[in-house]
Amino acid sequence: MGMQFLEFARMCEHLEGISGRLDLIEEISTVLPRIDDKELPIFVRFIMGRVFPDWSPKKLGVGPNLLYDAVAYVVGTKRNAVREAINVTGDAGLAIEGLLANKEQTSFFVQEMDLLEVYHDFERVASAEGARSQREKLLLIRKLFANAQPLEGRYLARLMLEELRIGVGEGSVRDAVARAFDIDVHLVEHAHQAMNDLGEVALLARRDPAALSEVLIEPFRPVKMMLAQAGSIAAQIEDHGEVAIEYKYDGSRFQFHKVGDVCRIYSRRLEEVTGSLPDIVMHLSRATSHDVILDGEVVAVQDGRPMPFQYVIRRFRRKHQVDAMMEKIEVVPRIFDILYLDGTTLMDRPLTERRRILEDVLDAHVAPQFLVTDAADAEAIYADAVSLGHEGVMVKVPASPYTPGVRGRLWVKVKPGVETLDLAVIGAEWGEGRRAKMFGSFLLAVQDQGRLLPVGKVATGITDEALADLYALLRDSVIAHSGKEVTLEPLAVFEVGYSEIQASPNYESGYALRFPRFVGVREDKGVDEVETLDSLIERYRQQRPSDP
Ligand code: AMP
């Protein structure tokens, strides 16, 4: 018999009480060997608060409202009563646990659920589609909660909201897998990068550890994108002698998979966006006859000059009337890496070799690259990049492998300095992993005639220590909770750096900040002194006089 969901919930509760990372790893590593093959991948994902593999396009698609409706039905109340309970505890899991504990015992019997059954139900929830999908999802979720004991309810709810809040992150689980099956942690990490599902890696670690070192990237199973750190050209040249410089395109990252005639495109978040970008498929399938996985940036161009990022992102989101949109905005691929060629995984080959292969197999759309040893040459390329309308440059280490999901110094991004704004903090979102018990990001606003209008969120640039301080500063100003988000009484002012102000329908102010970065709390300023909408618009106009 498999692991009961109740046992899983008890384990989560136990882990929730442990704060040391090493203790968490120890605990998880002792449990892993006891779990049978079928449930091991599920357990590994669940314990990280995830339901499906990271590469999978499957999404549960359960928002707070659907969840609260299901719980309300099971405990015999209304959605609002559930919401109230959540506002009181500040945590959906705990509130729902309480509601289930208090409910009249109307159910004659509660069926035990094991991990596999819960997972299968989640799969059904995820695959519900079409007009009746919400209703179908609701029925499935009701069934789950009807069978749940209160403690199970706590973790079912949190799983559905994809946040377990037990302080267990990917790194801890990876270390626990290595430890449980006595395998070098680098090997586990490497296999994880290629497979993009720690659950399956755990299974392999137990069943066939030798195979871990031969894990391959598979087409149509996207890997995470390799990321860059901010840095300087000079330091990178000093450290490595020679560097490979590319333009930093202001577009949207994508991964292109092709086998024979079948092509698929994945966004930076690994969502499949093939249908929105038929022109990119056409460009790339014409440029190669090989089976490939390519990494690059989609950019919008007009009269040969790059257009701002927001034009591209509009295309990524486009589901209908793609044709009409295609005429308005021309998008082209800029390919800078290749991860797979005709059955061979290339992620461990040095960048210079991948580059040679890329130039061999792709007849067009390869992004220019300059191998440079001299800092003055590098600066000249940087100046060119900016004057051509690019964001800056990427400075890459020629000998580096492709490391999916890693934001390291093998790729360094260099772009012109950031400006800052002082903004009101009007909301926050709970953090993840070891930041699960504090806020991880903050909703910011400008002022406009006595109202505060959101312009974006900031999560970058804040150390763990600063986050703890911010939590202490803001915890008592929480007005309401909704899912992972809280509304805050506007008291604090943050100084925030950004790289660009963009027109955006996503925020009430009509604008959004690109690359917002926390600089500090302006303790000397009150909320009535924050940036006004008018001055924000003024800055927006000045940064790019040619913008529409
Ligand atoms: P950031 O999003 O600030 O971490 O910067 C990294 C992003 O720059 C990548 O995710 C890509 O979307 C983008 N980018 C633009 N040009 C390049 C390039 N030549 N190489 C790698 N990434 C690039």
Side-chain angles (χ1 to χ4, degrees):
M1 200 182 64
M3 184 183 227
Q4 294 301 307
F5 192 74
L6 184 60
E7 194 185 339
F8 172 76
R10 288 203 180 113
M11 166 138 198
C12 289
E13 189 185 31
H14 175 62
L15 294 175
E16 203 168 336
I18 299 177
S19 57
R21 184 167 180 271
L22 291 178
D23 295 335
L24 281 174
I25 293 168
E26 170 72 30
E27 289 285 329
I28 298 169
S29 70
T30 54
V31 177
L32 292 175
R34 301 203 322 253
I35 302 170
D36 70 24
D37 280 2
K38 270 201 198 125
E39 289 182 332
L40 185 59
I42 298 168
F43 176 86
V44 166
R45 294 197 297 264
F46 277 14
I47 203 86
M48 298 187 290
R50 296 180 204 170
V51 175
F52 301 113
D54 286 352
W55 58 264
S56 166
K58 267 187 227 163
K59 295 263 162 357
L60 259 191
V62 177
N65 286 342
L66 199 58
L67 175 65
Y68 301 167
D69 282 348
V71 171
Y73 178 86
V74 170
V75 303
T77 178
K78 292 251 153 37
R79 181 204 288 177
N80 266 346
V82 177
R83 204 173 267 288
E84 295 277 292
I86 289 164
N87 284 351
V88 172
T89 62
D91 175 286
L94 289 178
I96 288 170
E97 177 180 8
L99 289 168
L100 288 171
N102 287 338
K103 86 167 166 176
E104 269 179 66
Q105 286 301 320
T106 44
S107 27
F108 295 115
F109 90 151
V110 169
Q111 227 178 331
E112 287 192 355
M113 313 182 271
D114 64 28
L115 224 50
L116 207 59
E117 286 163 344
V118 171
Y119 178 68
H120 287 323
D121 279 339
F122 281 159
E123 277 189 316
R124 283 181 205 114
V125 170
S127 61
E129 263 177 39
R132 295 186 51 78
S133 67
Q134 290 306 96
R135 177 82 192 152
E136 260 175 65
K137 283 178 199 266
L138 183 65
L139 292 178
L140 284 160
I141 302 167
R142 272 192 202 164
K143 192 194 96 187
L144 280 165
F145 280 102
N147 282 321
Q149 302 199 25
L151 189 66
E152 292 178 294
R154 183 200 300 182
Y155 294 103
L156 268 180
R158 290 186 184 167
L159 262 178
M160 285 184 206
L161 299 173
E162 287 186 90
E163 207 202 356
L164 223 44
R165 293 197 182 189
I166 58 173
V168 175
E170 195 171 271
S172 304
V173 179
R174 177 200 57 211
D175 291 359
V177 168
R179 179 144 178 189
F181 305 112
D182 197 18
I183 289 167
D184 181 354
V185 69
H186 296 105
L187 206 54
V188 175
E189 175 60 16
H190 186 263
H192 179 209
Q193 287 179 3
M195 292 178 99
N196 208 1
D197 175 17
L198 205 45
E200 225 175 309
V201 170
L203 191 59
L204 204 58
R206 174 160 72 198
R207 285 211 289 203
D208 190 5
L212 274 186
S213 52
E214 284 147 34
V215 162
L216 303 173
I217 296 183
E218 277 175 42
F220 309 127
R221 185 173 162 141
V223 298
K224 297 206 171 89
M225 314 271 172
M226 181 163 174
L227 300 167
Q229 259 181 36
S232 83
I233 296 174
Q236 200 74 342
I237 290 185
E238 199 171 306
D239 290 349
H240 302 282
E242 190 180 46
V243 293
I245 301 187
E246 296 165 6
Y247 298 139
K248 186 173 193 303
Y249 299 101
D250 187 17
S252 209
R253 190 77 174 271
F254 79 114
Q255 207 171 89
F256 176 77
H257 292 222
K258 170 180 176 294
V259 175
D261 292 335
V262 185
C263 298
R264 283 187 201 147
I265 295 180
Y266 302 93
S267 71
R268 181 175 169 144
R269 299 175 55 205
L270 309 188
E271 290 158 341
E272 210 209 304
V273 291
T274 319
S276 311
L277 297 164
D279 32 5
I280 298 291
V281 170
M282 187 192 72
H283 286 309
L284 290 174
S285 57
R286 276 187 193 163
T288 186
S289 55
H290 293 271
D291 296 347
V292 288
I293 298 178
L294 305 173
D295 183 12
E297 189 94 349
V298 174
V299 294
V301 285
Q302 198 168 49
D303 304 327
R305 270 188 78 84
M307 302 283 287
F309 156 84
Q310 59 211 91
Y311 288 88
V312 185
I313 208 68
R314 252 181 244 163
R315 276 294 304 280
F316 268 63
R317 301 218 181 99
R318 197 81 186 177
K319 295 234 163 60
H320 310 292
Q321 294 179 307
V322 172
D323 286 352
M325 202 72 174
M326 269 164 67
E327 278 163 31
K328 285 203 203 118
I329 304 168
E330 189 194 353
V331 292
V332 290
R334 301 277 188 251
I335 303 297
F336 44 74
D337 223 316
I338 179 163
L339 314 186
Y340 171 98
L341 175 69
D342 298 327
T344 306
T345 293
L346 304 174
M347 64 188 269
D348 297 320
R349 309 281 180 90
L351 174 61
T352 40
E353 187 184 336
R354 300 198 306 275
R355 176 80 197 180
R356 221 178 305 124
I357 296 172
L358 179 62
E359 287 173 2
D360 268 359
V361 301
L362 199 64
D363 299 337
H365 312 297
V366 179
Q369 188 188 73
F370 311 92
L371 284 170
V372 178
T373 49
D374 182 80
D377 292 347
E379 291 294 342
I381 297 167
Y382 177 37
D384 271 356
V386 174
S387 72
L388 286 170
H390 301 302
E391 229 185 294
V393 289
M394 301 289 290
V395 186
K396 301 181 178 179
V397 177
S400 60
Y402 191 94
T403 52
V406 178
R407 187 186 286 287
R409 301 203 58 82
L410 296 174
W411 288 10
V412 155
K413 56 188 171 193
V414 181
K415 52 191 176 190
V418 291
E419 298 203 48
T420 70
L421 293 170
D422 294 326
L423 300 166
V425 183
I426 59 169
E429 222 172 286
W430 291 100
E432 289 177 12
R434 74 198 139 91
R435 295 172 164 186
K437 287 179 180 154
M438 36 191 176
F439 300 139
S441 78
F442 302 87
L443 183 63
L444 306 166
V446 290
Q447 56 172 329
D448 183 37
Q449 340 230 347
R451 290 187 311 154
L452 290 168
L453 305 175
V455 273
K457 291 178 185 166
V458 66
T460 309
I462 320 180
T463 61
D464 281 6
E465 208 186 338
L467 273 184
D469 290 348
L470 290 174
Y471 183 61
L473 177 74
L474 299 170
R475 61 192 297 173
D476 292 329
S477 46
V478 171
I479 297 172
H481 301 256
S482 161
K484 292 170 66 171
E485 295 170 7
V486 300
T487 310
L488 296 171
E489 197 181 342
L491 297 169
V493 177
F494 282 6
E495 185 182 356
V496 175
Y498 65 96
S499 67
E500 192 188 342
I501 297 163
Q502 301 174 317
S504 163
N506 295 335
Y507 293 105
E508 232 188 309
S509 63
Y511 295 85
L513 302 181
R514 183 131 201 253
F515 301 123
R517 165 167 281 275
F518 177 78
V519 177
V521 180
R522 288 297 302 255
E523 281 166 10
D524 54 331
K525 273 201 172 185
V527 167
D528 53 349
E529 293 167 273
V530 300
E531 184 87 3
T532 62
L533 182 59
D534 286 347
S535 67
L536 185 80
I537 293 171
E538 187 51 38
R539 285 189 195 232
Y540 170 76
R541 292 214 177 105
Q542 278 176 8
Q543 70 191 8
R544 238 190 249 263
S546 61
D547 260 5

